[in-house]
Amino acid sequence: MSSIELTLTQAEFATQQCPKPSDSTLERAIDGSLTGIVTYIKLANGEYQTYSRFEEDEWVFPANQGTKATKASALKLNFATISDTRMKRMAKWVVWSKMKEDLAVASLLGILSHLKSYFQWVLSSDTTATHGLTAFTSNAYVKYVNTLTSKQKGEIKPLAAGTKTVKFLALENLYRYCKAFDFVKENPWSESSASEQAGMVGEAHKETIGKPKTPIIPDGVLIPLCQFTKSYLDKADEILTLREKLETFVPTVKYASNQATQKRKYLQTISTEYQKLDDLNDDLFVLRDSCIFWLLLTTGMRIHEVLGIKRGAYRSETRDDITYYYIETVSEKTHTGLAEWIAPEIATQAIDILGRLSVPLQAQLERDLVKAKSKNSHAEVHRLEQISDHICLAKSQKTNSISILSGIAITERRLPNLCKQIGSDWNLSSHQFRRTFANYAVHSELGDLRALKDHFKHWSITMTTLYAFNDNLDSELFEELLQEKYLVEEEIKQDWFELDTPITGGAMAQKIMQVRKDGELIKVFGSLSDMAKAFSSSIPIRSTGLGWCTNDDECKCGKPDSCESGIVDKRHLPYWGGLLVQQMKLMQLDDIGEAGRAAAQKGMERCEKVLTALGIDIEAMKQEINQREHIEVINV
């Protein structure tokens, strides 16, 4: 676009806007005479700024059409790489039709990409290009796609069924929208579908919908990451104070290289930790990434939602002496406006730190905005206004312009760099945090806060209730919490019915052990897994800390090892092992009297009974405890 952009009045815009898809516009698309504006913005004065037209080979979308994580390059559709004129016209018509169905830019990019792949394959053979889209050529394309592979973590693998499905959907889109083009002869598969052609049927289809594909970040990775990133949040004030002092430092020499030397020497006089400017800059990046890490982990937000947070965009609310924080941002996936996420206090600390980090970039943005307005550069004004006052700003090294951080850069480079800092090769990415969040929230509700309880103390049924009854909160996240709850509960109950899984407890535990040994009953259900699902679907589950309670009336006896509704399994070994240590220490005391000693002995026998039932060698455990805790057990 030129530095001084022309705008259109409402009347001019109405005459130049590309008409909606119809039979008459389709005829013009076929013969190449269809023209008109396809992307634009409406200015504050009521006029329109054109971004791209149908007849152009590149369609550019305004910044507000993407998410905050969308790069500028991902706001462009490039038709120029389609060499065949007829195919280019079909691609434009399909994309234009999908635009009128309100598909997101990212979806349009995917549709165009798969159309390009198909057209490239068609043009590789004169015979295929001549025949066009038929059932025969479509079958040939399926066979071709089935030969394709992808490289994942250095390993060559066939394309996943989901990937093949979206490739085959390109043919269905052509048949749906472009029947009037002479290239499209017949339905690619009249009695089938893209998903069936990709193999997403039967058990393969069940696998894709029954199990989450996104892994949970394992504790062995997550805990060190939390410790490492939290250490940066703790020293954020120190790092930012140093940067602010450097920004106010005025070099007394002329050349840039000499100025850098002066700055480095000045840094050494105000800091004992940093001897080089690059070291401080590296830590500023790690501090930023650490803040994003905690926002992803403690809220369940997607990366574009984190990148859309503005400075100070949170509020607090106290209920029953517990303070809940609510972070406000925009979800492009499920909301057209603002939404809120519940968060612990550490998330608000991360927002404040990121706000402070972005101060110099915000200052440059405001200067750039003034320049853009003076030049009547409406597109640049719109772009800058869309990102102003956000906490995740970045500066381009090539153009020196301010933009929102790239979601791809965070996922593909910055988050893996955090793993590198702790010596882990885990392939960390932003989408893993949402499921990890849901998994921790569910364990919290079940009474098990796992390793991060200090930070996630309000992840409980109270939180999920708040999500269920607050329309401003991310409803899709609540659904994911419920889905994860179902998966965790199913995993726990499936273990109960495994023959080699030791469990103990009251009548419920005894009944389960009896059922799982019944070979005839297993034959009736077809498999042990199906039988477990049938029996466990009606069993409520709630943690008591020492075991599971299956009483839906919320029994509070606290004795799952003996209560008729109680079950204790291998997940509770650490608790019972800890209780055994406590009883052994009590037995060592000489001032608890006979009653106290008898109570300790009774408690120790209770622990021994449970641990033995769970397959533990008690004498070996006692010996290990003696060596570790230096306890001398007194038997009575």
Side-chain angles (χ1 to χ4, degrees), residues 58 247 323 569:
E58 183 177 74
E247 286 173 347
T323 300
D569 62 24

Side-chain angles (χ1 to χ4, degrees), residues 393-626:
L393 298 176
K395 180 190 287 189
S396 168
Q397 292 183 342
K398 293 182 179 179
T399 64
N400 204 37
S401 62
I402 304 299
S403 63
I404 292 287
L405 274 170
S406 163
I408 295 175
I410 291 293
T411 289
E412 294 184 356
R413 294 195 294 275
R414 300 309 305 178
L415 290 177
N417 179 64
L418 290 178
C419 283
K420 185 178 178 182
Q421 298 292 327
I422 63 166
S424 171
D425 60 357
W426 179 260
N427 188 26
L428 185 65
S429 58
S430 60
H431 60 276
Q432 295 171 9
F433 286 89
R434 191 168 171 93
R435 184 166 178 232
T436 301
F437 168 87
N439 189 265
Y440 268 86
V442 167
H443 278 89
S444 172
E445 181 179 332
L446 292 175
D448 174 14
L449 293 175
R450 299 174 71 181
L452 304 177
K453 59 184 179 182
D454 290 339
H455 293 300
F456 307 142
K457 56 182 177 291
H458 70 262
W459 280 9
S460 65
I461 189 63
T462 304
M463 187 199 69
T464 50
T465 301
L466 290 172
Y467 265 96
F469 295 103
N470 188 334
D471 291 338
N472 292 325
L473 296 174
D474 183 1
S475 58
E476 190 178 78
L477 178 58
F478 175 65
E479 292 174 5
E480 292 189 31
L481 288 168
L482 293 181
Q483 181 184 18
E484 193 67 31
K485 183 174 185 287
Y486 169 76
L487 291 170
V488 171
E489 287 187 355
E490 183 181 46
E491 179 185 345
I492 293 167
K493 294 172 184 178
Q494 286 275 8
D495 281 349
W496 293 348
F497 284 86
E498 292 293 335
L499 289 173
D500 58 349
T501 300
I503 62 172
T504 187
M508 179 62 76
Q510 300 306 316
K511 182 179 180 181
I512 289 174
M513 286 189 284
Q514 182 180 354
V515 167
R516 69 187 188 181
K517 292 179 181 177
D518 192 333
E520 292 301 316
L521 195 58
I522 294 174
K523 290 179 182 178
V524 170
F525 284 97
S527 70
L528 181 63
S529 175
D530 290 339
M531 185 184 75
K533 287 181 180 179
F535 273 91
S536 65
S537 60
S538 60
I539 301 176
I541 180 173
R542 180 175 52 85
S543 177
T544 64
L546 294 174
W548 305 110
C549 178
T550 62
N551 189 327
D552 56 7
D553 291 330
E554 296 197 10
C555 167
K556 294 183 173 68
C557 70
K559 297 181 179 180
D561 53 315
S562 57
C563 174
E564 65 177 14
S565 302
I567 298 176
V568 182
D569 62 24
K570 59 186 179 181
R571 291 172 175 80
H572 304 102
L573 282 174
Y575 301 100
W576 288 95
L579 277 177
L580 182 63
V581 172
Q582 291 176 358
Q583 303 308 313
M584 290 171 67
K585 288 183 176 180
L586 284 173
M587 292 291 291
Q588 191 180 19
L589 300 177
D590 55 9
D591 59 351
I592 60 174
E594 288 302 317
R597 192 175 300 279
Q601 179 65 26
K602 186 177 179 180
M604 191 155 69
E605 290 172 356
R606 180 190 177 199
C607 294
E608 290 175 355
K609 180 181 177 182
V610 171
L611 291 167
T612 299
L614 295 178
I616 299 300
D617 184 334
I618 288 296
E619 293 308 317
M621 177 177 265
K622 284 184 176 179
Q623 186 176 358
E624 181 183 344
I625 292 171
N626 287 334

Side-chain angles (χ1 to χ4, degrees), residues 63-134:
N64 63 354
Q65 292 295 302
T67 69
K68 295 301 180 183
T70 305
K71 296 192 300 183
S73 59
L75 290 170
K76 297 177 182 179
L77 299 180
N78 184 9
F79 298 93
T81 55
I82 304 176
S83 58
D84 184 272
T85 301
R86 177 180 52 166
M87 292 177 181
K88 183 186 296 184
R89 291 172 183 173
M90 285 190 289
K92 284 187 176 183
W93 183 252
V94 170
V95 172
W96 175 239
S97 300
K98 289 292 187 180
M99 278 180 65
K100 296 296 100 180
E101 295 173 8
D102 292 328
L103 258 67
V105 179
S107 298
L108 297 176
L109 274 169
I111 289 169
L112 178 57
S113 173
H114 297 306
L115 282 172
K116 286 180 178 180
S117 296
Y118 171 65
F119 289 145
Q120 186 176 10
W121 173 80
V122 169
L123 292 172
S124 67
S125 165
D126 291 338
T127 302
T128 309
T130 301
H131 280 80
L133 178 64
T134 66

